[in-house]
Amino acid sequence: MSPLHITKGATSHSAYNLRPSFSEIEERHTLAVLVENEPGVLARVIGLFSGRGYNIESLTVAEVDHTGHLSRITIVTTGTPQVIEQIKAQLGRIVVVHEVHDLTVEGPSVERELAMLKVVGTSEKRVEALRLADIFRASVVDSTLNSFVFEITGAPDKIEAFAELMRPLGLTEIARTGVAALLRGA
Amino acid sequence: MTREMTGAKIVVKALKDQGVDTIFGYPGGAALPIYDEIFQQNDIRHILVRHEQGAVHAAEGYARSTGKVGVCLVTSGPGATNTVTGLTDALLDSIPILVISAQVPTFLIGSDAFQEADTVGITRPCTKHNWLVKDTERLAGTIHEAFHVARSGRPGPVLIDIPKDVQFATGTYAPPKPSTSHYQPKLKGDMDAITELVAAMEKAKRPVFYTGGGVVNSGPAASILLRELVDATGFPVTSTLMGLGSYPASGKNWLGMLGMHGLYEANLAMHGCDLMINIGARFDDRITGRIDAFSPKSKKAHIDIDPSSINKVIKADIPIVGDVAHVLEDILKVWKARGRKTEAESVAKWHSQIEEWRKVRCLDYTPSTTSIKPQYALERLEALTKHRKDRFITTEVGQHQMWAAQFLHFEDPNHWMTSGGLGTMGYGFPASIGVQMAHPEALVINVAGEASWLMNMQEMGTAVQFRLPVKQFILNNERLGMVRQWQDLLHGGRFSHSWSEALPDFVKLAEAFGAKGILCKDPADLDDAIMEMLNHDGPVIFDCLVEKHENCFPMIPSGKAHNEMLLGNAETKGVIDTKGSVLV
Ligand SMILES: Cc1cc2nc3c(=O)[nH]c(=O)nc-3n(C[C@H](O)[C@H](O)[C@H](O)COP(=O)(O)OP(=O)(O)OC[C@H]3O[C@@H](n4cnc5c(N)ncnc54)[C@H](O)[C@@H]3O)c2cc1C
Ligand SMILES: Cc1ncc(C[n+]2csc(CCOP(=O)(O)OP(=O)(O)O)c2C)c(N)n1
């Protein structure tokens, strides 16, 4: 038996680690959470994230099973593996949560987001915006003489890239739905 | 059989059918229909508290001492907001309670009506689940489901908010039936993991059982199985504050409580073990101290019904999700089937190492003949009451709470009620009322500090009105003792606002309420005074004037490891550095 060196009241080293030394590398995970569509359920989920200091990068929700009154919440979050594991366990504890799926682990999955962008401008800028929209397969859903509203769907980074290009061309407003995701295959 | 009746009647009927015999509450406008129904029946006793916080703590005491769900009834607005501390307390300590709060009528919700508060919004983060019932048809089902949620899996507080019009309207009553909701926590542990644990137990040279409140939550069978497992393997066992009594303090493998103010031998056994078997405990920061130095050489098994407890703080090598009683039963089965093996010789050596640590006598204190040392007061209380199998102890929060955990010994679960997770001053007195209601003939003592006790002293009215002979054993140091101790150790002895000034004369206070008061300040009088308290058939306030500046040891300062424990005043000078002082 290895002897224990007991230094009563020793002060030599003191550090304070809330987190044990599991991996400290932050990961991005997409979670699909099936919940009873009752009043307050979204507040429960959001309250969990804010109360425990977890990140939400994106969150979308809609009822997907009208007879069973089940909604599907898609949450994109970041954290160390331990934090991600906690998030899933904490979500699972909510009484009205039926299922928690980590699409990043259970994957591969596809992720899509829809965005609408308003671009205001005339002459060359307007033409250039339209040309780029075509390349990105964004469609025009509204136009006036000096503005367009584009609709684009795709992975979040595609939307980011498109928005970046539109910025110098007169981007004034953007609305994004957040990510919806499904596992691939049958 | 289903029947049509008013919502208010449904509430009372559902409670009856759930086996409720006592509710703690306080009326108000929005709750009047339910109160009217309570008036017209005799099966459920309503205990009128003097503050809704008291109702919740009383329900907690009732619940923890019986294993049943404790029930409260409060009115809307301030009635409901007054329950928030109690609900949070019950959430952190996993106590099953149901709060029924009245709400303004549905058609006024959202209009800032008189005594309207967003009760489900306010209590969402401090309940396991809550419901606003807007339709009388759904009332009975919701109440039955609320009991199911409160007591299943990891128990906890639930709340049902019932608007006044829903109480008046009629709906169908349906009696309880087994819950068909999707919420059905898993009770059986994974057999592969259990077998892995048994294999580790067979090879362990320095094992320790680290038990917690989950053993109490699991029910009496869990304590019986724990005793069987400990006695059969001969492994030493410690417990958190919340698990005291699950294994008897007189048992030969008992190490005493562990943690910040736990026993030297218990903490060193945790630090030096090679196999730690966590049974229903949650690696609270009061236990682990500095996490990177926590029991560095051990393999850790963790049995818990709540998957979020596992790997939350400490990584488990053998995680087992399940109910303590179910899992212990399987462990015993597998261990016996594999031939009841242990490394008996090594375990014996481990016990002798523990005996060495025990010789430090970490609870020793300097006795006095002139003043009552708080430790002495508790030693005498223990000596004069330990023969009472029906002794229940509640506590407030502070030094007295820790000394009570160290110096009072518990032989059975559900006999020790304390606010561990939230550390709620003002918990103990109302909790003692709840315990006494559940056990009318029992000896119920609240070990209190004078500051905590004052926080819910209005409940003297309740104790006297309902002739509840609860004994309020106040260790009066005229200080917010635990705060003063931290200021002593961490803030250069600058005792900022840690005095109890302008204290009442507790004897006169007792008399003003129509109860008995006893003052004791001389150690020589202590035994007689305690006997006088015990022999009085009615509520007693015992004002025990104790040494004012006694510190509670052992102590693992925040941010320190188990083997950096302070044993007494001499070692405390400047040992807590600035990094440690940011912790609580
Ligand atoms: C001033 C002060 C000082 C304190 N000092 C100490 C100290 O020195 N030592 C100490 O121990 N505590 C101390 N505490 C208490 C501490 O803060 C925690 O409340 C306590 O340690 C938690 O106990 P526990 O781990 O047993 O968990 P509990 O809070 O009792 O949680 C129980 C665990 O068991 C699980 N569980 C519940 N039901 C079941 C079931 N049926 N089957 C399986 N698992 C189940 C739950 O999911 C949970 O993880 C102190 C508190 C105060 C106010
Ligand atoms: C409601 C609440 N407020 C503040 C605290 C912080 N606190 C912890 S212990 C303590 C002092 C308790 O004093 P007392 O009840 O006299 O007990 P003692 O420590 O002297 O035994 C305080 C203020 C708390 N735990 N609860």
Side-chain angles (χ1 to χ4, degrees):
Chain A
M1 194 188 320
S2 62
L4 281 160
H5 298 289
I6 307 306
T7 48
K8 293 187 210 163
T11 66
S12 50
H13 48 279
S14 175
Y16 177 46
N17 273 333
L18 253 183
R19 298 282 172 216
S21 48
F22 319 170
S23 166
E24 285 303 318
I25 299 162
E26 295 245 333
E27 297 174 355
R28 177 180 181 279
H29 283 239
T30 305
L31 310 178
V33 189
L34 229 56
V35 300
E36 272 164 51
N37 187 12
E38 52 122 58
V41 64
L42 194 57
R44 279 180 215 286
V45 170
I46 292 173
L48 168 69
F49 276 75
S50 63
R52 293 187 183 263
Y54 304 141
N55 302 316
I56 300 183
E57 271 195 7
S58 145
L59 185 147
T60 63
V61 57
E63 189 170 272
V64 291
D65 172 356
H66 299 306
T67 46
H69 296 290
L70 291 181
S71 291
R72 182 176 172 119
I73 304 180
T74 308
I75 305 171
V76 181
T77 182
T78 53
T80 61
Q82 188 219 355
V83 168
I84 301 285
E85 189 187 331
Q86 260 301 297
I87 291 174
K88 290 187 272 183
Q90 293 290 349
L91 283 168
R93 269 174 108 196
I94 297 177
V95 170
V96 287
V97 167
H98 286 222
E99 292 172 33
V100 180
H101 293 280
D102 186 338
L103 302 185
T104 308
V105 173
E106 295 170 28
S109 62
V110 280
E111 291 188 6
R112 285 291 179 275
E113 185 178 358
L114 183 146
M116 295 200 289
L117 299 91
K118 185 177 284 177
V119 179
V120 177
T122 49
S123 57
E124 277 128 72
K125 282 193 173 167
R126 186 170 162 83
V127 177
E128 181 62 5
L130 206 55
R131 203 181 62 81
L132 287 169
D134 195 42
I135 295 171
F136 276 79
R137 293 183 214 290
S139 52
V140 176
V141 291
D142 178 64
S143 74
T144 64
L145 288 176
N146 61 351
S147 72
F148 286 122
V149 174
F150 294 115
E151 175 195 308
I152 180 170
T153 55
D157 47 358
K158 173 176 163 185
I159 292 171
E160 285 298 336
F162 183 60
E164 271 323 300
L165 290 173
M166 286 299 122
R167 221 170 285 283
L169 300 178
L171 178 68
T172 60
E173 254 186 272
I174 180 163
R176 298 173 66 158
T177 59
V179 170
L182 284 182
L183 283 181
R184 296 173 70 166
Chain B
M1 194 183 63
T2 56
R3 279 202 282 140
E4 291 293 308
M5 58 181 89
T6 65
K9 250 198 174 67
I10 288 177
V11 170
V12 175
K13 176 102 178 88
L15 294 180
K16 258 184 228 174
D17 286 355
Q18 285 289 344
V20 175
D21 53 18
T22 309
I23 59 182
F24 303 90
Y26 208 89
L32 288 181
I34 300 175
Y35 270 91
D36 205 26
E37 288 303 327
I38 286 175
F39 189 84
Q40 300 175 51
Q41 56 85 50
N42 285 315
D43 299 328
I44 298 180
R45 235 183 133 187
H46 178 276
I47 304 303
L48 179 73
V49 292
R50 299 303 190 264
H51 185 297
E52 290 86 351
Q53 184 186 355
V56 186
H57 295 322
E60 287 186 272
Y62 182 96
R64 189 70 168 185
S65 67
T66 59
K68 300 202 293 187
V69 177
V71 182
C72 309
L73 174 60
V74 299
T75 192
S76 67
T81 56
N82 273 347
T83 66
V84 166
T85 302
L87 286 168
T88 312
D89 191 86
L91 184 71
L92 281 172
D93 284 347
S94 303
I95 313 287
I97 56 164
L98 165 64
V99 171
I100 294 177
S101 58
Q103 182 56 278
V104 301
T106 47
F107 51 85
L108 287 180
I109 288 177
S111 70
D112 295 330
F114 177 63
Q115 296 198 326
E116 179 184 358
D118 176 8
T119 302
V120 284
I122 291 169
T123 61
R124 199 172 284 129
C126 59
T127 51
K128 183 174 172 187
H129 197 65
N130 62 13
W131 297 261
L132 168 65
V133 182
K134 288 180 162 173
D135 177 359
T136 311
E137 283 300 332
R138 304 188 67 163
L139 192 51
T142 304
I143 296 173
H144 298 318
E145 179 64 12
F147 276 90
H148 168 68
V149 170
R151 65 180 158 230
S152 308
R154 179 180 189 163
V158 296
L159 176 142
I160 307 178
D161 202 26
I162 312 178
K164 197 172 183 181
D165 55 335
V166 174
Q167 301 170 33
F168 275 126
T170 48
T172 321
Y173 179 75
K177 51 180 187 328
S179 166
T180 53
S181 78
H182 85 99
Y183 183 73
Q184 308 292 344
K186 167 169 172 266
L187 300 175
K188 291 271 293 177
D190 175 66
M191 285 313 285
D192 289 345
I194 287 173
T195 310
E196 192 187 343
L197 169 56
V198 170
M201 286 166 60
E202 291 167 349
K203 287 201 291 285
K205 296 188 159 63
R206 302 185 309 278
V208 65
F209 288 113
Y210 152 42
T211 66
V215 184
V216 182
N217 287 136
S218 178
S223 287
I224 294 168
L225 289 161
L226 174 69
R227 288 159 197 225
E228 190 187 337
L229 184 63
V230 172
D231 295 345
T233 56
F235 294 175
V237 54
T238 178
S239 168
T240 66
L241 184 73
M242 297 311 289
L244 295 178
S246 311
Y247 185 81
S250 60
K252 79 175 183 358
N253 294 315
W254 177 238
L255 293 170
M257 181 177 82
L258 82 162
M260 182 177 266
H261 291 290
L263 271 67
Y264 186 72
E265 48 271 34
N267 284 328
L268 290 196
M270 288 285 281
H271 190 79
C273 66
D274 68 350
L275 176 66
M276 177 187 298
I277 306 161
N278 173 336
I279 307 176
R282 58 183 171 84
F283 290 113
D284 185 82
D285 53 56
R286 241 89 297 228
I287 303 305
T288 57
R290 207 178 88 212
I291 283 176
D292 61 2
F294 175 69
S295 192
K297 298 206 181 80
S298 60
K299 181 172 229 173
K300 298 172 185 77
H302 189 175
I303 302 164
D304 202 297
I305 203 161
D306 179 353
S308 81
S309 285
I310 290 172
N311 289 342
K312 175 161 65 182
V313 182
I314 296 292
K315 182 141 179 58
D317 302 299
I318 310 174
I320 302 175
V321 176
D323 166 62
V324 168
H326 285 77
V327 173
L328 290 186
E329 198 178 3
D330 284 338
I331 292 175
L332 272 160
K333 235 184 256 166
V334 174
W335 181 72
K336 285 177 187 166
R338 288 168 55 115
R340 301 169 176 263
K341 284 178 287 203
T342 58
E343 287 279 345
E345 213 171 289
S346 306
V347 174
K349 251 164 75 190
W350 178 226
H351 275 289
S352 40
Q353 166 68 80
I354 290 168
E355 281 315 310
E356 288 303 308
W357 291 328
R358 217 188 287 275
K359 286 185 194 144
V360 169
R361 302 181 57 88
C362 66
L363 294 183
D364 278 0
Y365 59 93
T366 320
S368 162
T369 49
T370 50
S371 72
I372 301 178
K373 288 289 183 120
Q375 301 95 325
Y376 178 71
L378 287 165
E379 276 179 342
R380 295 317 302 155
L381 185 70
E382 170 72 6
L384 297 170
T385 60
K386 69 172 176 213
H387 62 285
R388 297 272 310 248
K389 288 271 157 276
D390 62 345
R391 183 191 72 175
F392 292 82
I393 302 288
T394 67
T395 76
E396 302 288 346
V397 169
Q399 292 179 312
H400 64 276
Q401 175 189 26
M402 293 298 112
W403 282 315
Q406 293 170 343
F407 287 90
L408 303 180
H409 301 311
F410 298 93
E411 296 297 309
D412 291 299
N414 304 98
H415 285 64
W416 161 251
M417 269 61 52
T418 195
S419 170
L422 194 63
T424 311
M425 292 171 69
Y427 163 88
F429 183 14
S432 72
I433 287 177
V435 174
Q436 190 83 71
M437 273 309 298
H439 310 273
E441 305 301 325
L443 170 62
V444 183
I445 304 170
N446 174 32
V447 176
E450 79 295 339
S452 295
W453 193 83
L454 288 176
M455 285 211 177
N456 271 323
M457 61 162 260
Q458 76 285 347
E459 299 305 331
M460 273 311 285
T462 313
V464 172
Q465 179 186 345
F466 294 93
R467 298 206 176 86
L468 300 171
V470 288
K471 312 300 184 219
Q472 305 303 312
F473 192 69
I474 302 178
L475 297 177
N476 183 352
N477 52 14
E478 299 173 17
R479 301 289 181 279
L480 314 186
M482 188 57 94
V483 171
R484 188 205 50 73
Q485 173 165 348
W486 280 53
Q487 289 170 336
D488 194 11
L489 301 180
L490 288 149
H491 295 275
R494 292 179 295 281
F495 298 131
S496 180
H497 297 274
S498 52
W499 260 274
S500 288
E501 288 281 2
L503 282 171
D505 175 331
F506 284 102
V507 173
K508 280 193 189 148
L509 182 71
E511 286 162 6
F513 275 104
K516 184 180 176 66
I518 299 172
L519 173 71
C520 184
K521 53 187 171 194
D522 185 341
D525 299 337
L526 188 60
D527 277 28
D528 287 347
I530 291 176
M531 286 316 295
E532 189 186 348
M533 169 180 89
L534 297 174
N535 290 331
H536 179 72
D537 183 20
V540 178
I541 302 179
F542 190 107
D543 183 10
C544 187
L545 296 184
V546 295
E547 179 73 43
K548 297 183 201 316
H549 279 207
E550 190 76 6
N551 281 341
C552 180
F553 292 108
M555 176 175 181
I556 304 174
S558 292
K560 297 278 180 179
H562 276 178
N563 56 350
E564 297 177 280
M565 199 178 324
L566 307 178
L567 288 174
N569 272 325
E571 300 164 343
T572 60
K573 294 292 163 244
V575 295
I576 302 170
D577 46 35
T578 40
K579 267 189 192 147
S581 66
V582 303
L583 304 178
V584 290

